[in-house]
Amino acid sequence: MREIGCAITAWVLLHWMRFSLIVLGFERTMRRATARRAPARQPFSTGSDVELVQRVARSIERAKRWQLRLTADDCLPVALVGVSMLRRLGAQADLALGMTRYPFAAHAWVVVGGLAIDFPRDKYSRFYGVNMGTGAQYVPGCPAGGLGGLQSPP
């Protein structure tokens, strides 16, 4: 039952993030999504931290299947939901944004404890990017966007 509750939370947050991005704009939406609501944990100190990230990732994937309208450009609201849910649970999650020059494309993903979490898997690895929380830069082609590790949803 806990997985269903987490998926319902993700579904509601996905709708809210889309609405908020349109009405409030990116800056205010990001500020609200990244507000820490629980004490921060040490990143990946135990197996339960990895399980927490995987549970949130599964919930977001399930919520995406329930969406009425989902397009390829929905990576920003999905990443904001991931950051919001993980921060509410105490994980050190940050939003990362990246782009390519030619052909132009942009993408958003979540970084937790220096590890990239992407929906869909590994799409982020072709983008030049920046971690909005720490300012770390990403280079395409490097493992985990230049961070040295990857934790993808199952």
Side-chain angles (χ1 to χ4, degrees):
M1 186 64 167
R2 191 170 184 160
E3 291 275 336
I4 297 292
C6 199
I8 290 170
T9 300
W11 184 82
V12 169
L13 283 173
L14 273 173
H15 285 289
W16 171 249
M17 290 301 172
R18 284 195 189 107
F19 175 77
S20 182
L21 285 166
I22 292 167
V23 174
L24 300 177
F26 173 73
E27 184 178 352
R28 288 175 63 189
T29 301
M30 187 177 109
R31 194 171 37 237
R32 289 172 184 244
T34 59
R36 188 168 304 282
R37 292 175 178 85
R41 299 179 183 194
Q42 294 299 319
F44 294 108
S45 58
T46 65
S48 64
D49 293 335
V50 173
E51 173 56 33
L52 173 77
V53 171
Q54 290 174 341
R55 182 169 42 111
V56 169
R58 283 191 305 269
S59 298
I60 291 171
E61 289 298 326
R62 181 177 286 167
K64 283 171 49 178
R65 287 192 298 251
W66 296 341
Q67 292 300 298
L68 302 175
R69 179 191 148 283
L70 192 67
T71 63
D73 63 349
D74 278 351
C75 61
L76 182 57
V78 168
L80 286 169
V81 168
V83 169
S84 180
M85 289 180 72
L86 288 166
R87 283 193 171 204
R88 287 176 188 214
L89 296 169
Q92 295 178 356
D94 289 311
L95 176 70
L97 301 174
M99 62 159 279
T100 60
R101 285 187 184 178
Y102 185 81
F104 178 79
H107 187 52
W109 65 94
V110 180
V111 177
V112 179
L115 301 175
I117 299 163
D118 200 10
F119 319 97
R121 291 181 189 174
D122 301 336
K123 183 178 177 183
Y124 73 90
S125 63
R126 65 185 180 103
F127 292 92
Y128 288 96
V130 64
N131 182 320
M132 301 300 286
T134 65
Q137 295 184 355
Y138 304 94
V139 179
C142 290
L147 292 177
L150 172 66
Q151 178 64 46
S152 296

